[in-house]
Amino acid sequence: MGKRALRILWTSLACALILCIGVFVWITAYMVSQSGETIHEVGTIYMSQMSTQLKLQFSLFIDSRVAQMEELVGRTAAGDGDAGRQSLDEVKASARGYDYTYLGLYDEDGNGTALFGEDIEIIDEDAFLDGLRRDEKKVAAAKAQSGEELILLGVPAVYQMEDGGRSAALVAGLPMKHIEKNLSLDIGETLVYSHFIRKDGTFILRNADATEDSYFERVLSYGQSPNQTPQKMLRDIERAIANGADHSIVLTIHGEKRSTYFSPLPYSDWYLVSVMPYGTLEEPIMALNGKRIATTLAGCGVITIVLLFLFFLYFRMSQQQMAALDEARKKADSANRSKSEFLSNMSHDIRTPMNAIVGMTSIAKSNLDDAGRVQNCLQKIELSSKHLLGLINDVLDMSKIESGKLTLNMDRLSLREVVDSIVNIVQPQIKEKHQQFDVFIQDVDVEDVYCDGVRLNQVLINLLSNAIKFTPAGGTIYLSLRQEPSPAGESFVRLHFYVKDTGIGMSKAFQERLFEAFERENCERVNKTEGTGLGMAISKYIVDAMQGRIEVHSEPGAGSEFHVTLDLEKALIQVEDMRLPPWKILIVDDDKQICEDAASILREMGADAQWTLDGESALTMAQERHRAGDDYEIILLDWNMPGLSGLETALQFRQQIGGTIPILLISAYEWNHIEQEARRAGVSGFVAKPLFKSTLFYALNHYMGIAPEEMSSPEKEMQMLSGKRILLAEDNDLNWEIADALLTQLGLVIERAENGRVCVEKFRRSEPGSYDGILMDIRMPEMDGYEATKAIRAASRPDADIPIIAMTADAFTEDIQRCLACGMNDHITKPIDIAIVIQTLQKHILSGEDHSSSSK
């Protein structure tokens, strides 16, 4: 390489370094210069919100006191003589009970008579009385003879006064300390405190550090600003107050910079002055500036080293090697960008079901020859996928949640499936942290209710995820479900969900703020744990929307227990009669509550159930029954027990008693990794916790010759739909392939229309009654689903009322309403749930079968 080229390279390198350093220095200088303005803007926003809250509290306080007085006037009648005096006596007695220290009557001319309390001097009396004459809510300040400051409130009232005239208003006075007490104006934990001032700057209420009579005097005497004189600041304040506008300044008093915000108070001519020490915002931002400068210098150093390295590497490598290196660098950068974008957009709630989906998929791929295991994995993938879909819908609906328009999709759900789904989702996290996990079901007679399943899952998973995060390895977590009659009526049932852990617990002070957004307890253990502080606030919002309640009981170091109570409507569905033969069944579990609940359920189904708490006593009981020739016919064993485990107990049972008595292993965890060992120990099958009635029935009915599949009706449902002709409007080839495969399995005859226009044309060319129904996509080229539906409904044919069902990814409530408004019969959301498809087709096609037959 020639000297000229080398000189160009060195010059280019130097220019690049200078440019990079210059850009970094300029960016840093610019950001530092903007810090003061940023601090002021952040302070103004914060102080504006604080002032709004205080004004709202002030309004609520005044409204409640005025309502008291209006109620007092409303229930006492004006009159003359004894009746009038009796009314006034009642008014005075009630007013004293409301803590008023002054009560008086005022006529139209502003003449007042005190009913009790010291004589007062009303400040701004004319404005106050004028407001009363106009029936406005108005407050005023007054000073009693003793010097005590009062806040006055008045309402229209007609009573006989001492001079024989009639009053126009009833005026009551409260000590100003009531305002201080109710609004907490003094310096507190937030470091924000407030004053009340009049338009002329005189104090109505002042903070403890203000000794002057006028706030304006305070500004002139002590106020300092690098850009303004005290006189200029005061003129700006007076101008804002005269215009009734908010105003924000930063001034220094007694050597301390303070962010100060002025805001008019309702029902008065007063102003609220809120003050926050500037250092509260300035210190962290200044610290950030220091870190930014350090980071900039480090970045410059890194860039310099990298550029020098690349420069010397260029001389040592050929163009081909450089090209390969450049290609590798691009791929690495692309991979890193993709990974960073992916991780930045992930949340804990989405990773949890994804973990279950990926894990179950891997297990299924590794066990393709084991149909039972693959089926189990697919079921769990389906449950996790549905939960993940629900989370995506939540994200899309976030704008409505934030605006307070949360909508609930109340549909029939199975509590057993809900709990199974949640257990499957949280199990990987439990296993990863080596925690103990158990599920308790008590007195659950109604398994199907109407509820928003996605929202319920969201609440329970939030609670369990927090329990897992804040419980150390080896700790214990419980999920319990209990039912009882609901006070809402016989058609409802009350559900109690308990999530209990042995984790780090919470302080009493934090429990009071737990359900507020962005709240996290300030301790070392919590600060090291991921979280936004939104989970509990969202859970509380959802439970409130379901008209339930959520409570927490916790102590630091002793764990936490969350209690969710919901009153849900029972789903009145046909349930098969779950009856078992009078088998003699032994239940073995180290948890007494589980034993008692399972035994109660089995006895209710007709079995003779006994229980014990450990493997040793179970073997003793089984041996005694065996010697008496009255063996147990089924044994239910908990897998994880102290002393003899479930596997050891099963093995000794087979060795000591033998026989073919079914032994079923109970576990709340995956048993795939112990299945072979369990089979060798003599275990006949497995039962998953939690032990619902249906769970036990379907697990045991195999041994009386009845398979669960024979009791359900999917085959009957598919036979009823078999042969029905469906016209499917779908422009996406992959969506068509999926729908065709799923619907053909039901025996349906499917014909495709590539868009809405083709769908309308095929319907018009067909003979009346050729199609039994139409499944209509919405977003299609040439003609969308709405237009196609309107065209079909407008056709002059006897079957123009053919069932048309939307099958679309447009899933919001307004989308459903729009589908129904344009003439569709129902709405199915993609990705499609085949059970919902069957139910919907039965509802609209089979119910109109007679009509269709007559058309043909």
Side-chain angles (χ1 to χ4, degrees):
M1 182 177 292
K3 292 183 177 180
R4 184 171 179 274
L6 184 61
R7 187 167 56 253
I8 292 174
L9 286 176
W10 276 108
T11 303
S12 300
L13 176 63
C15 291
L17 287 173
I18 294 171
L19 177 62
C20 290
I21 294 172
V23 169
F24 275 111
V25 171
W26 179 83
I27 291 174
T28 302
Y30 176 77
M31 294 303 295
V32 170
S33 67
Q34 294 296 309
S35 295
E37 183 178 345
T38 301
I39 294 172
H40 180 64
E41 290 177 357
V42 172
T44 300
I45 294 171
Y46 177 76
M47 297 300 289
S48 172
Q49 294 300 315
M50 290 295 298
S51 295
T52 300
Q53 292 296 323
L54 286 172
K55 287 162 63 177
L56 177 60
Q57 293 180 40
F58 180 78
S59 296
L60 292 174
F61 174 79
I62 298 302
D63 287 342
S64 66
R65 286 293 183 171
V66 170
Q68 282 180 348
M69 294 180 64
E70 290 175 341
E71 186 273 337
L72 183 60
V73 171
R75 59 184 169 83
T76 56
D80 298 326
D82 293 338
R85 285 190 293 274
Q86 184 175 356
S87 294
L88 286 178
D89 289 341
E90 183 178 349
V91 169
K92 290 190 286 186
S94 298
R96 285 193 172 95
Y98 292 148
D99 296 331
Y100 292 112
T101 59
Y102 172 81
L103 189 69
L105 295 174
Y106 282 76
D107 61 18
E108 288 286 347
D109 298 326
N111 299 315
T113 300
L115 298 179
F116 65 75
E118 301 176 4
D119 288 339
I120 62 171
E121 177 187 353
I122 303 177
I123 304 172
D124 296 330
E125 181 178 15
D126 292 340
F128 176 63
L129 295 177
D130 287 343
L132 291 180
R133 294 188 188 102
R134 293 192 297 270
D135 289 340
E136 296 178 353
K137 291 181 182 177
K138 200 75 172 179
V139 298
K143 181 173 291 187
Q145 286 182 339
S146 62
E148 182 182 27
E149 293 186 343
L150 303 177
I151 179 170
L152 297 184
L153 307 96
V155 296
V158 179
Y159 294 101
Q160 184 175 2
M161 301 178 67
E162 290 182 357
D163 60 2
R166 294 285 184 172
S167 67
L170 178 67
V171 176
L174 283 168
M176 280 292 182
K177 63 184 180 182
H178 280 68
I179 294 289
E180 296 183 59
K181 180 179 179 182
N182 281 273
L183 272 62
S184 302
L185 299 180
D186 212 345
I187 297 176
E189 294 181 357
T190 61
L191 297 180
V192 176
Y193 56 94
S194 303
H195 312 293
F196 282 11
I197 65 172
R198 300 182 183 88
K199 287 187 175 182
D200 61 1
T202 56
F203 282 108
I204 299 169
L205 282 175
R206 74 187 78 186
N207 183 263
D209 75 335
T211 57
E212 300 78 13
D213 292 330
S214 169
Y215 186 79
F216 294 169
E217 177 186 346
R218 182 175 175 82
V219 172
L220 290 174
S221 300
Y222 305 111
Q224 299 177 10
S225 174
N227 302 320
Q228 294 181 340
T229 64
Q231 291 76 16
K232 176 64 168 56
M233 286 191 294
L234 183 56
R235 285 196 298 271
D236 291 342
I237 295 171
E238 290 175 332
R239 186 181 304 112
I241 291 177
N243 294 330
D246 290 358
H247 185 61
S248 177
I249 60 171
V250 176
L251 71 158
T252 303
I253 294 181
H254 298 307
E256 180 185 45
K257 291 177 69 176
R258 306 180 184 188
S259 181
T260 308
Y261 196 86
F262 300 82
S263 181
L265 281 167
Y267 311 134
S268 68
D269 295 328
W270 304 346
Y271 251 71
L272 172 68
V273 182
S274 298
V275 182
M276 180 178 68
Y278 203 70
T280 304
L281 296 176
E282 186 178 36
E283 292 176 3
I285 293 183
M286 291 299 102
L288 181 63
N289 284 339
K291 293 179 181 178
R292 183 183 292 116
I293 294 172
T295 304
T296 300
L297 293 176
C300 291
V302 170
I303 291 175
T304 301
I305 294 172
V306 171
L307 288 176
L308 288 172
F309 174 75
L310 292 176
F311 176 78
F312 287 111
L313 189 64
Y314 179 82
F315 291 101
R316 297 173 55 189
M317 301 179 66
S318 65
Q319 291 183 351
Q320 184 177 5
Q321 290 173 323
M322 287 295 294
L325 178 62
D326 186 63
E327 183 67 22
R329 182 184 59 79
K330 290 179 180 179
K331 290 181 179 180
D333 290 341
S334 177
N336 285 333
R337 281 196 303 271
S338 299
K339 178 181 178 181
S340 298
E341 291 174 1
F342 174 75
L343 292 176
S344 66
N345 291 318
M346 289 293 285
S347 72
H348 176 46
D349 285 344
I350 294 179
R351 286 197 302 269
T352 303
M354 281 301 301
N355 185 46
I357 293 171
V358 174
M360 290 298 105
T361 302
S362 300
I363 293 173
K365 290 170 64 178
S366 302
N367 297 273
L368 295 176
D369 297 332
D370 189 340
R373 183 173 292 182
V374 171
Q375 179 66 23
N376 181 50
C377 291
L378 291 176
Q379 289 174 349
K380 293 174 181 176
I381 290 172
E382 181 181 15
L383 292 173
S384 298
S385 299
K386 289 180 179 179
H387 176 63
L388 184 57
L389 177 61
L391 292 175
I392 294 173
N393 289 335
D394 284 348
V395 173
L396 296 176
D397 203 29
M398 186 58 66
S399 61
K400 296 183 179 179
I401 295 175
E402 291 179 346
S403 63
K405 298 180 180 179
L406 175 68
T407 57
L408 297 177
N409 181 22
M410 304 301 284
D411 202 355
R412 182 171 66 85
L413 61 83
S414 166
L415 293 175
R416 176 177 59 82
E417 293 177 359
V418 168
V419 177
D420 285 345
S421 170
I422 292 170
V423 169
N424 289 328
I425 289 173
V426 302
Q427 272 185 354
Q429 301 174 68
I430 296 283
K431 184 176 180 181
E432 182 180 354
K433 293 194 68 175
H434 306 289
Q435 294 165 334
Q436 301 296 319
F437 177 61
D438 221 331
V439 185
F440 300 96
I441 305 299
Q442 184 177 2
D443 301 328
V444 177
D445 297 322
V446 179
E447 293 189 17
D448 293 275
V449 294
Y450 286 102
C451 182
D452 190 323
V454 172
R455 304 292 187 190
L456 180 59
N457 274 5
Q458 187 176 355
V459 171
L460 295 178
I461 288 176
N462 273 343
L463 298 179
L464 282 169
S465 297
N466 278 347
I468 294 168
K469 283 194 296 185
F470 298 114
T471 300
T476 303
I477 298 168
Y478 299 100
L479 170 63
S480 302
L481 170 58
R482 179 172 62 85
Q483 277 187 4
E484 65 180 8
S486 170
E490 293 184 359
S491 60
F492 288 79
V493 64
R494 172 160 287 186
L495 302 180
H496 296 275
F497 293 93
Y498 300 88
V499 175
K500 186 175 181 180
D501 63 66
T502 58
I504 62 175
M506 294 173 282
S507 65
K508 294 293 183 183
F510 178 67
Q511 291 178 50
E512 297 177 359
R513 312 189 313 273
L514 174 63
F515 297 111
E516 298 177 10
F518 303 105
E519 282 291 339
R520 303 190 73 200
E521 189 163 16
N522 187 18
C523 68
E524 182 178 358
R525 173 68 176 86
V526 174
N527 292 338
K528 293 181 179 179
T529 306
E530 291 186 18
T532 62
L534 286 173
M536 289 298 98
I538 293 174
S539 298
K540 179 69 163 60
Y541 195 95
I542 292 172
V543 172
D544 288 345
M546 292 181 178
Q547 298 182 350
R549 67 176 183 271
I550 181 170
E551 302 169 310
V552 61
H553 303 283
S554 180
E555 293 183 10
S560 304
E561 180 180 38
F562 286 86
H563 178 198
V564 177
T565 305
L566 297 173
D567 291 294
L568 301 179
E569 185 180 1
K570 301 176 183 177
L572 301 178
I573 61 173
Q574 186 67 33
V575 180
E576 58 266 24
D577 186 16
M578 296 186 184
R579 299 295 300 173
L580 294 173
W583 287 328
K584 294 178 283 293
I585 300 177
L586 176 62
I587 306 162
V588 188
D589 196 301
D590 60 305
D591 191 284
K592 183 178 179 181
Q593 186 65 55
I594 291 179
C595 289
E596 291 178 344
D597 292 341
S600 175
I601 293 172
L602 291 171
R603 289 168 189 153
E604 181 184 339
M605 290 191 291
D608 178 12
Q610 297 180 346
W611 57 270
T612 186
L613 298 175
D614 56 77
E616 293 85 353
S617 60
L619 289 170
T620 301
M621 293 171 66
Q623 288 170 350
E624 292 175 356
R625 297 290 290 259
H626 183 66
R627 285 192 293 269
D630 187 23
D631 285 322
Y632 290 110
E633 294 171 272
I634 290 182
I635 296 178
L636 300 175
L637 274 177
D638 184 29
W639 166 43
N640 190 15
M641 294 188 297
L644 282 180
S645 68
L647 295 183
E648 293 169 338
T649 303
L651 181 62
Q652 291 194 25
F653 181 87
R654 294 299 187 200
Q655 292 174 347
Q656 298 176 17
I657 299 176
T660 58
I661 299 174
I663 301 177
L664 304 182
L665 207 61
I666 307 172
S667 175
Y669 298 89
E670 285 291 334
W671 52 70
N672 294 326
H673 63 289
I674 63 163
E675 183 173 359
Q676 293 183 359
E677 183 183 358
R679 298 290 185 186
R680 288 194 297 268
V683 172
S684 309
F686 300 86
V687 182
K689 292 182 181 178
L691 299 180
F692 285 90
K693 182 178 181 179
S694 57
T695 304
L696 288 169
F697 178 70
Y698 290 139
L700 297 177
N701 62 20
H702 170 74
Y703 299 97
M704 61 180 181
I706 303 175
E709 296 81 12
E710 297 175 5
M711 299 184 182
S712 58
S713 56
E715 292 83 358
K716 295 180 181 179
E717 293 168 346
M718 287 190 286
Q719 289 175 4
M720 295 169 69
L721 292 171
S722 180
K724 302 298 180 185
R725 290 177 56 82
I726 302 296
L727 181 58
L728 173 59
E730 176 58 70
D731 64 305
N732 185 280
D733 292 337
L734 182 57
N735 287 343
W736 154 252
E737 181 180 352
I738 294 171
D740 181 54
L742 293 175
L743 297 176
T744 303
Q745 292 177 2
L746 304 178
L748 296 168
V749 180
I750 309 299
E751 183 176 343
R752 182 187 183 186
E754 288 77 6
N755 55 54
R757 180 184 57 78
V758 174
C759 178
V760 173
E761 291 176 354
K762 286 192 173 186
F763 176 76
R764 288 174 174 170
R765 291 197 302 264
S766 66
E767 292 293 327
S770 297
Y771 300 111
D772 296 287
I774 298 175
L775 292 175
M776 184 74 72
D777 189 20
I778 298 299
R779 299 179 184 271
M780 295 183 291
E782 298 192 36
M783 181 183 286
D784 63 26
Y786 301 121
E787 296 172 340
T789 299
K790 293 176 181 177
I792 292 172
R793 295 298 186 219
S796 300
R797 294 169 55 105
D799 58 350
D801 61 346
I802 183 174
I804 303 178
I805 301 167
M807 193 161 72
T808 173
D810 292 343
F812 289 129
T813 302
E814 53 266 30
D815 298 321
I816 298 174
Q817 295 301 325
R818 186 177 178 186
C819 289
L820 299 177
C822 77
M824 298 188 194
N825 299 83
D826 215 323
H827 181 282
I828 298 174
T829 304
K830 294 178 182 177
I832 60 175
D833 185 326
I834 196 62
I836 295 177
V837 173
I838 293 173
Q839 180 183 359
T840 306
L841 291 177
Q842 281 185 314
K843 175 182 176 182
H844 296 286
I845 293 179
L846 298 182
S847 62
E849 193 170 28
D850 294 339
H851 173 75
S852 299
S853 299
S854 64
S855 298
K856 296 178 183 179

